[in-house]
Amino acid sequence: KPDQKISRRVSQIHGITNADVAKSPTFADISSEVLAMLSGRYLVAHNAAVDWDVVNRKLPDLQPPAVLDTLRLARAVCPGQDSYGLSKLLVGLDLQSRLEGVEGQLHRAMYDSEAALQLLFYLAERSPKGQLSARQLIILSELPQITERRQGNLF
C-alpha cells in the first residue's frame, strides 16, 4: 500500500485502485524482507531507471551488483525499431508466446518482470555473435548511475 492515495491517472495505467491495496501492508512493514530478498541479486527491468529510482528511495542500502535495463540493451542489439516500449517490442520481436501463462497484464509487476526477463534472454541470444557474454550484457544494459556508484565505492 503506497504512502499516499493512488491517483486516477495511475489507476488507469496500472489498473490498481486504492480499494485494491486497502488491506495490503505498507512498504515500511515489509522493507526488511524485500531488502533480504534483493540483496546480492542483479535487477532486470525495462526502462529500469524509473524502477531503480523508486527502489533506491525505498531501499537506500540496497547495492545490487548491477541493474540491467532491457530498454538500453534493445536499443544496442536491435537498432531501428519503430518503438522501444515494452509492449511494442514484445509484439515486434514476436515474444508474446514466451509469456503465455504468465499471470497479470502489462504494467503489472509479475507480467512486466517476466516480460523483461524474456526480452533479456532474447536480446542476449540475438546479439551479433549469437550470444552476449555476461560482461558484454552488463556493459550494454547497465544503468550508468549504478556503475558510477559502484566505482565510487572503490576509491
Side-chain angles (χ1 to χ4, degrees):
K1 179 167 69 174
D3 297 332
Q4 63 276 347
K5 296 283 183 192
I6 299 171
S7 71
R8 176 176 283 156
R9 181 175 177 270
V10 170
S11 288
Q12 288 172 340
I13 293 169
H14 298 285
I16 301 170
T17 66
N18 290 299
D20 294 332
V21 299
K23 295 182 182 177
S24 298
T26 65
F27 192 79
D29 295 333
I30 61 167
S31 62
S32 60
E33 183 180 342
V34 173
L35 182 59
M37 285 191 297
L38 296 179
S39 290
R41 300 191 186 268
Y42 287 79
L43 305 181
V44 177
H46 194 73
N47 197 10
V50 174
D51 296 310
W52 175 245
D53 181 54
V54 173
V55 170
N56 193 39
R57 277 187 279 124
K58 293 292 190 176
L59 296 172
D61 294 335
L62 179 65
Q63 294 195 21
V67 176
L68 306 180
D69 186 355
T70 55
L71 173 61
R72 290 174 58 87
L73 188 59
R75 286 180 174 153
V77 173
C78 300
Q81 294 292 311
D82 290 337
S83 171
Y84 289 92
L86 183 57
S87 61
K88 299 287 187 185
L89 284 171
L90 294 174
V91 171
L93 301 174
D94 196 27
L95 298 176
Q96 306 95 314
S97 64
R98 293 188 183 198
L99 297 167
E100 289 176 8
V102 174
E103 183 181 322
Q105 61 192 30
L106 197 64
H107 297 305
R108 298 298 289 263
M110 183 62 75
Y111 187 89
D112 281 4
S113 61
E114 184 64 32
L117 182 62
Q118 292 303 322
L119 180 57
L120 177 71
F121 291 156
Y122 174 87
L123 294 170
E125 294 163 1
R126 178 157 182 211
S127 66
K129 293 182 182 176
Q131 194 168 29
L132 290 171
S133 71
R135 185 165 194 249
Q136 291 167 321
L137 187 134
I138 291 169
I139 289 168
L140 289 172
S141 63
E142 186 173 22
L143 291 181
Q145 59 265 44
I146 300 300
T147 306
E148 291 166 12
R149 184 167 116 180
R150 189 172 56 245
Q151 289 173 345
N153 292 337
L154 297 176
F155 303 101

